[in-house]
Amino acid sequence: MASTSLLKASPVLDKSEWVKGQSVLFRQPSSAAVVLSNRATSLTVRAASSYADELVKTAKTIASPGRGILAMDESNATCGKRLDSIGLENTEANRQAYRTLLVSAPGLGQYISGAILFEETLYQSTTEGKKMVDVLVEQNIVPGIKVDKGLVPLVGSNNESWCQGLDGLSSRTAAYYQQGARFAKWRTVVSIPNGPSALAVKEAAWGLARYAAISQDSGLVPIVEPEILLDGEHDIDRTYEVAEKVWAEVFFYLAQNNVMFEGILLKPSMVTPGAESKDRATPEQVASYTLKLLRNRIPPAVPGIMFLSGGQSELEATLNLNAMNQAPNPWHVSFSYARALQNTCLKTWGGRAENVNAAQTTLLARAKANSLAQLGKYTGEGESDGAKEGMFVKDYTY
């Protein structure tokens, strides 16, 4: 059985339901339990909390046709690198100005269903004094929150890492829910050049599963992100082999932790050759390998597959997504992009107030392109040279 409970189909939240439900949704979760017994033993297993129906509705809202996720959860340090690339100092005022530009782009909710925020942004107001969360909700965009505390060296491994942040997570997710977040994100990574070791894979999978269970208990839909890094010279078959093992481990531990599959979203890497490989893959090859892996490893109960771009160019990420949507899939196959949505937008803005409208137009064009790709209708016409620029950074951290 894929989850701890079988739920009736729930409708996607429309804007009126979402806004109207804000006061109702601020409540404390209650516990439920399922008793499993046989002649010899009796085992009590914690089941989905009273948030179960809400989790399903939120996941379906995010995984709605023609829409995907804007990942704008860069840490302050990484946001500083972005600002530095356009000659701006890394100050809270500059971060606020850029994030205001993103969330207030007119009509963004037509293409974007969810926005992942950094903690600063969740509690931040726009330059006009309005809460960022409120601006998103008015655009029919579900606010989300990055909850992991970053990667640190994994002792006993082959120079690999593990993701920290489980300590205190329950109290933090409860506070984030009260602040208006309705989904969460936890990113862990696996490196192919460094193995990956069985230890690193198990640690990544267990951490994701514990985070997912805690998030659901607080009313947040967990985005499960086991990123297979692009670093390396390996071919696409090696990527497939590693991803197959990682995804199997992740879903094994999700089940072990009684995570409700209907109330999660998966944010995986696409199956591609390593960034330094001599062999390049066409969008059709990427789609073939990736969809095969999804069919072999991901339960259809999972409502949405929200791919990360992982250093692909804006154009490449959109073309690959479009190729995966040329035939119906059991899941909503969409995007959760950061640089692949923001790169040209950031350069267009350049930190100048007079460029805000042009930058927002660029962001909307990129979002629309990926919306069309989610529907399998993207043609690639009219793309700029900037959209073709690769964004892979070796040993990238954020």
Side-chain angles (χ1 to χ4, degrees):
M1 187 172 177
S3 68
T4 57
S5 62
L6 292 177
L7 299 173
K8 295 180 180 179
S10 301
V12 174
L13 288 172
D14 63 24
K15 182 178 179 181
S16 61
E17 286 180 299
W18 180 256
V19 176
K20 179 179 67 177
Q22 290 300 295
S23 60
V24 177
L25 297 180
F26 293 137
R27 65 179 188 277
Q28 294 297 318
S30 62
S31 300
V34 174
V35 178
L36 306 178
S37 63
N38 55 33
R39 294 178 183 176
T41 63
S42 179
L43 174 66
T44 300
V45 177
R46 187 182 180 95
S49 72
S50 61
Y51 290 112
D53 288 340
E54 182 187 337
L55 291 168
V56 174
K57 288 180 181 179
T58 299
K60 286 186 174 182
T61 298
I62 297 171
S64 53
R67 300 206 295 166
I69 294 173
L70 169 62
M72 47 179 291
D73 59 318
E74 297 91 348
S75 67
N76 288 346
T78 300
C79 193
K81 295 177 184 177
R82 303 276 193 275
L83 295 174
D84 183 67
S85 72
I86 58 171
L88 282 188
E89 186 181 354
N90 184 18
T91 65
E92 182 177 356
N94 285 335
R95 294 192 299 270
Q96 178 193 40
Y98 179 56
R99 290 161 176 166
T100 297
L101 181 159
L102 295 175
V103 303
S104 62
L108 185 64
Q110 183 178 349
Y111 314 116
I112 300 297
S113 54
I116 311 172
L117 310 177
F118 189 61
E119 187 176 67
E120 178 182 75
T121 318
L122 182 69
Y123 291 91
Q124 200 170 42
S125 295
T126 66
T127 52
E128 288 76 35
K130 197 165 188 175
K131 290 182 179 179
M132 297 271 188
V133 169
D134 291 343
V135 174
L136 289 170
V137 170
E138 287 176 3
Q139 295 237 53
N140 199 26
I141 298 173
V142 183
I145 177 69
K146 167 186 165 71
V147 300
D148 68 76
K149 294 295 184 179
L151 302 170
V152 292
L154 178 62
V155 176
S157 71
N158 185 29
N159 295 319
E160 295 162 289
S161 62
W162 68 283
C163 188
Q164 58 187 345
L166 289 177
D167 289 349
L169 181 59
S170 182
S171 59
R172 286 191 289 120
T173 50
Y176 296 150
Y177 182 95
Q178 293 296 327
Q179 185 62 20
R182 289 297 177 270
F183 72 100
K185 193 202 83 165
W186 176 286
R187 172 186 179 258
T188 194
V189 303
V190 171
S191 170
I192 292 179
N194 289 350
S197 67
L199 173 64
V201 172
K202 183 174 182 178
E203 175 60 44
W206 178 256
L208 283 167
R210 290 304 307 141
Y211 137 79
I214 293 167
S215 295
Q216 286 190 339
D217 194 55
S218 296
L220 302 181
V221 170
I223 287 185
V224 176
E225 184 177 355
E227 180 175 356
I228 312 296
L229 295 173
L230 277 177
D231 303 61
E233 301 176 358
H234 52 277
D235 61 18
I236 195 169
D237 290 295
R238 176 59 177 157
T239 304
Y240 183 97
E241 178 186 14
V242 170
E244 189 174 43
K245 293 177 181 178
V246 172
W247 292 10
E249 197 95 342
V250 167
F251 276 87
F252 172 79
Y253 284 114
L254 287 172
Q256 289 284 301
N257 282 273
N258 302 301
V259 172
M260 184 178 67
F261 289 177
E262 299 93 333
I264 71 170
L265 296 166
L266 181 67
K267 181 174 177 175
S269 312
M270 298 178 190
V271 181
T272 67
E276 298 153 299
S277 173
K278 299 175 183 176
D279 302 320
R280 306 315 304 157
T282 65
E284 291 72 26
Q285 289 172 316
V286 171
S288 176
Y289 273 81
T290 306
L291 291 175
K292 178 182 177 183
L293 184 56
L294 286 173
R295 288 191 293 269
N296 289 345
R297 285 292 180 263
I298 309 305
V302 176
I305 313 297
M306 321 300 286
F307 282 102
L308 59 90
S309 56
Q312 300 178 70
S313 71
E314 292 177 333
L315 180 60
E316 187 178 14
T318 306
L319 287 170
N320 288 338
L321 178 63
N322 186 69
M324 282 187 271
N325 282 296
Q326 294 307 299
N329 292 303
W331 327 265
H332 174 81
V333 176
S334 191
F335 60 92
S336 177
Y337 294 164
R339 288 175 288 169
L341 281 173
Q342 297 180 44
N343 190 52
T344 305
C345 168
L346 179 66
K347 292 179 179 178
T348 302
W349 176 50
R352 302 175 69 89
E354 61 267 29
N355 293 340
V356 167
N357 289 341
Q360 290 180 328
T361 299
T362 301
L363 173 64
L364 291 170
R366 192 79 257 136
K368 181 179 180 180
N370 285 290
S371 170
L372 290 170
Q374 196 288 310
L375 299 170
K377 299 178 180 179
Y378 174 72
T379 63
E381 294 178 1
E383 288 285 10
S384 67
D385 290 338
K388 302 173 185 178
E389 293 179 7
M391 290 178 283
F392 169 72
V393 177
K394 191 172 184 177
D395 300 322
Y396 175 71
T397 58
Y398 84 118

